[in-house]
Amino acid sequence: MDDDQNVKETVKHNIAIVRERIAKACRRAGRDPAEVTLVAVSKTVDAARVIRAYELGIRDFGENWVQEAAEKVPRIEALSTWHFIGHLQTNKARKAVELFDIIHSVDSLRIARAIGKAAASLGKEMRVLLEVNVSGEFSKYGFNSEDVSAAVGDMIRVPAICIQGLMTMAPVVSHPDEARPYFVKLRQLRDRLQVEYPEIAWQHLSMGMTDDFEVAIEEGATMVRIGRAIFGERTKVNQPLS
Ligand SMILES: *Cc1c(COP(=O)(O)O)cnc(C)c1O
């Protein structure tokens, strides 16, 4: 087998395993696997491998950096959905709105306004999720759980954005089950916001990564963001800042 064939076989195998694990987690939770979107996180993964994943049926891709995505998005079929999952700076908002279909990582009113402004000028309505720092770790972006409700009150008036739910990253833990309380917290926050702001659909909970996605599904995730379990360990260490 040549290298390319090897890569394809590995990615194919990985995708099959991840899909099976998603199906099993859904079965345990009495959920329909169709409710859970597998977002393949392709940060640091070159376009050729992203194309292999597309050929293997992946239609949702997640990227953390606008500049990196700008090189890949135009090369992959227009039929795919691109999810922005990194921290977004206001000066990159316009480019992000151009490239992406949904932004998971709205973590301030300021960035929501920048996204809305860019989307309005591009004649687009941008789907967004609000990132919540449920663990309260200093190293993480996202609204504090206590601040989300007030932020939604402001954001609801921002034109050209469509709020669809919440996103979080659980802390790094030694056993996936230890991440469960954070996922429960995000779901309960969503439930409260649903009562407070019934005019918003709140249909998405973006939570769960390679190390904890099954637990996240058991707790209601509708989008899981999975990188390493599909593409293997990331080798690049020096990431751009945005
Ligand atoms: C990198 C990243 C992921 C994917 O992480 P894996 O551990 O490779 O599955 C998911 N979400 C966010 C926000 C990320 O930055």
Side-chain angles (χ1 to χ4, degrees):
M1 274 197 296
D2 61 20
D3 250 23
D4 188 53
Q5 192 59 28
N6 242 322
V7 165
K8 193 159 180 174
E9 285 305 318
T10 306
V11 173
K12 184 177 179 181
H13 176 75
N14 290 350
I15 291 170
I17 288 174
V18 167
R19 288 210 187 280
E20 182 56 33
R21 288 171 61 188
I22 290 172
K24 280 194 177 138
C26 284
R27 226 170 292 144
R28 280 197 298 278
R31 300 184 60 198
D32 178 353
E35 291 170 20
V36 181
T37 299
L38 168 58
V39 179
V41 175
S42 48
K43 64 179 172 211
T44 78
V45 175
D46 57 54
R49 279 201 294 157
V50 178
I51 291 167
R52 293 292 88 81
Y54 179 88
E55 289 165 357
L56 293 163
I58 295 287
R59 290 294 178 274
D60 290 82
F61 297 96
E63 288 280 343
N64 288 58
W65 298 287
V66 174
Q67 247 159 301
E68 184 185 336
E71 290 161 23
K72 293 181 212 173
V73 176
R75 297 181 54 184
I76 320 293
E77 292 272 338
L79 288 171
S80 47
T81 300
W82 287 83
H83 302 245
F84 188 80
I85 62 173
H87 174 64
L88 186 58
Q89 293 173 319
T90 49
N91 64 349
K92 302 260 168 64
R94 189 182 170 87
K95 191 72 190 165
V97 169
E98 279 175 21
L99 290 170
F100 289 89
D101 302 289
I102 176 166
I103 297 174
H104 291 223
S105 42
V106 169
D107 54 10
S108 69
L109 179 59
R110 188 162 173 256
I111 195 65
R113 286 188 173 135
I115 291 166
K117 192 175 165 201
S121 79
L122 291 162
K124 191 169 175 176
E125 176 162 84
M126 196 71 210
R127 301 161 61 201
V128 302
L129 308 180
L130 310 185
E131 182 171 358
V132 185
N133 182 1
V134 284
S135 65
E137 289 166 288
F138 287 119
S139 59
K140 286 203 162 72
Y141 290 106
F143 291 100
N144 294 325
S145 309
E146 306 76 42
D147 299 341
V148 186
S149 170
V152 173
D154 291 325
M155 258 179 254
I156 220 160
R157 287 190 291 270
V158 176
I161 62 169
C162 175
I163 301 171
Q164 299 198 320
L166 304 176
M167 178 272 230
T168 201
M169 277 172 95
V172 175
V173 291
S174 47
H175 187 275
D177 219 51
E178 293 166 37
R180 189 181 301 274
Y182 304 99
F183 299 140
V184 170
K185 201 169 167 191
L186 195 74
R187 187 190 65 225
Q188 291 174 337
L189 184 58
R190 190 272 318 270
D191 293 346
R192 287 202 298 277
L193 290 167
Q194 210 152 35
V195 174
E196 215 176 330
Y197 299 100
E199 61 273 50
I200 295 174
W202 300 113
Q203 66 265 55
H204 287 300
L205 283 177
S206 168
M207 55 189 198
M209 307 172 27
T210 290
D211 293 328
D212 55 22
F213 70 90
E214 287 144 307
V215 176
I217 289 169
E218 288 168 17
E219 297 305 336
T222 64
M223 292 176 171
V224 288
R225 311 176 308 266
I226 300 180
R228 289 169 298 134
I230 291 176
F231 295 111
E233 291 298 323
R234 286 179 288 273
T235 47
K236 290 185 197 166
V237 282
N238 295 318
Q239 305 303 350
L241 289 169
S242 62

